[in-house]
């Protein structure tokens, strides 16, 4: 079913578009939410999250109103272990501006690393992004503006990405259970959102704004669910 980020088929009306969307929204706790250091339920061990990311070739595509990058060959090459459970990276995509708010702050962009376990459980890592002109601190060095035009390029472009460089240096994270942020907004999804930002070249960020534009779902109610912050 067709949906959008504004108008009749915007986020406030997603649950009226079809029964599947309605069901997803009513049957699970929703994302994104506001993450606030004053609202933390408990701390969680920094060691409960382990990344095993490697340099990987990704292929770009365009759906759900944004750019997606998916591993071109071995999808089991990049894994995250969270709370002793292993999840495999299957997709990376972008939202503008950020979907999560961190201590009342919104950011120009947020990207999601979508992982799935062998039992079909979802874990999404959210990374908020700030612009930077300092070359040493920028990421997506290998991703140029052409990758944002997969429709023009036909089957999409192949881009090598060193995933570890996309993550902030400081790995302190929030954890909560929510949902996907695009319809059907199914849950449960285990969310990991870094408290620190990572950096993107200003020119690339501008290209995202021009090509992708507004693609963030508004904040959802927390509904008393626990929110954890790692003990950094
Ligand atoms: Zn997303």
């Amino acid at each position: 079913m067709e949906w959008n980020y504004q108008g009749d088929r915007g986020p406030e009306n997603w649950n009226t578009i079809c029964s599947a969307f309605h069901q997803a929204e009513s049957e699970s706790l929703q994302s994104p939410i506001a993450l606030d250091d004053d609202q933390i339920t408990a701390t969680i061990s920094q060691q409960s999250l382990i990344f095993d990311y490697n340099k990987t070739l990704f292929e770009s595509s365009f759906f759900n109103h944004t750019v997606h990058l998916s591993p071109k060959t071995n999808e089991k090459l990049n894994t995250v272990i969270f709370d002793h459970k292993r999840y495999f990276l299957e997709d990376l995509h972008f939202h503008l501006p950020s979907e999560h708010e961190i201590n009342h702050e919104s950011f120009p962009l947020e990207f999601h690393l979508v992982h799935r376990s062998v039992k079909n459980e979802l874990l999404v890592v959210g990374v908020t992004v700030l612009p930077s002109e300092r070359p040493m601190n920028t990421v997506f060095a290998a991703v140029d503006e052409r990758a944002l035009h997969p429709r023009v390029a036909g089957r999409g472009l192949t881009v090598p990405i060193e995933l570890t460089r996309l993550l902030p240096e400081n790995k302190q994270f929030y954890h909560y259970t929510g949902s996907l942020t695009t319809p059907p907004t199914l849950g449960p999804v285990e969310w990991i959102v870094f408290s620190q930002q990572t950096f993107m070249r200003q020119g690339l960020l501008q290209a995202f704004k021009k090509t992708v534009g507004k693609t963030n779902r508004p904040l959802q109610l927390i509904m008393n669910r626990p929110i954890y912050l790692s003990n950094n």
Side-chain angles (χ1 to χ4, degrees), residues 2-23:
E2 212 175 297
W3 56 271
N4 217 316
Y5 283 100
Q6 56 225 331
D8 288 352
R9 289 172 179 265
E12 287 73 21
N13 298 320
W14 286 352
N15 65 3
T16 65
I17 291 174
C18 65
S19 60
F21 289 5
H22 178 82
Q23 199 177 345

Side-chain angles (χ1 to χ4, degrees), residues 93-95 99 112 114 124 181-182 191:
H93 64 265
F94 305 84
H95 298 272
E99 296 208 297
H112 290 156
V114 182
V124 182
T181 65
T182 55
W191 275 94

